[in-house]
Amino acid sequence: HLPPEAETAALARTTHIYAARRAQRTASQASFKTHVEDDIAEAHNTGSVSNPVTKDDFVRQNGAENGPAMFANYQEEVKFGSDWHALKDMPDDQQLKFLANRAQQMQPGQTGYAKGLKAQERLEKSVKEIQTARRDDPAGAVAKDPGVQAAYAQYDPQNPATFKLVAAARSEA
């Protein structure tokens, strides 16, 4: 049996250790969450992820019971971001072909069929939004065209000849 002062000191030390571990775990979880969010944003903005989170990372952070399912959700979000990035620059007819090809890949009775249908509906909604934005603001849509953006990058206001490249790219878009 410990004297009361030693017992109090031991209890205080144990409480301190647990608090430090809890703070470390909270910081690790926040960092992990930020990494996941950054990956999804990167997929939307670039079409890919340069340093993806692994399934093992999800299991370490969320446990063997929840980690695999959370990883699957992460993969779905990254895939959606990548698909969205590709779709936003496609002409309308190519967007529709893309959607049709995706729909043909899904087979009733296949594992993940329900998730596939939800992903397809989400992509279809995104295509509608992209096409509506193009119809509502054609000039804005043309300005976002990769060829037009490349021409603008070469545009020099001091050299009027470079504007011809911009005009040609806008006309082509």
Side-chain angles (χ1 to χ4, degrees):
H1 197 294
L2 293 174
E5 305 83 35
E7 195 171 302
T8 302
L11 183 59
R13 176 77 176 134
T14 303
T15 302
H16 176 74
I17 290 169
Y18 281 117
R21 285 186 183 163
R22 189 172 31 254
Q24 182 180 17
R25 175 88 172 134
T26 301
S28 176
Q29 287 173 329
S31 175
F32 182 78
K33 182 180 179 201
T34 298
H35 188 170
V36 168
E37 291 169 352
D38 288 348
D39 283 358
I40 293 167
E42 184 179 359
H44 275 272
N45 288 321
T46 68
S48 63
V49 177
S50 57
N51 185 22
V53 180
T54 67
K55 184 176 181 179
D56 288 342
D57 294 333
F58 272 89
V59 171
R60 261 191 301 282
Q61 282 293 324
N62 303 290
E65 192 170 310
N66 296 325
M70 293 177 84
F71 178 68
N73 289 338
Y74 162 80
Q75 286 184 306
E76 289 172 20
E77 286 299 316
V78 167
K79 182 163 183 43
F80 173 78
S82 179
D83 289 345
W84 183 88
H85 179 78
L87 286 165
K88 74 179 179 62
D89 293 330
M90 285 182 193
D92 292 2
D93 63 326
Q94 285 184 359
Q95 289 175 335
L96 298 177
K97 286 179 187 175
F98 180 95
L99 292 174
N101 287 337
R102 275 296 167 81
Q104 289 175 350
Q105 291 174 10
M106 293 185 299
Q107 300 298 319
Q110 183 179 35
T111 301
Y113 182 70
K115 279 189 173 188
L117 284 177
K118 287 180 184 178
Q120 182 74 10
E121 290 170 3
R122 191 173 174 197
L123 286 173
E124 288 171 359
K125 181 180 177 194
S126 294
V127 165
K128 265 186 187 169
E129 290 169 357
I130 292 166
Q131 291 180 357
T132 298
R134 288 177 183 171
R135 277 191 301 279
D136 292 351
D137 182 15
V142 167
K144 292 176 185 172
D145 181 83
V148 173
Q149 289 181 344
Y152 269 119
Q154 296 176 9
Y155 174 63
D156 177 5
Q158 304 301 320
N159 182 357
T162 60
F163 186 72
K164 289 181 183 180
L165 296 172
V166 174
R170 289 183 68 82
S171 177
E172 189 176 308

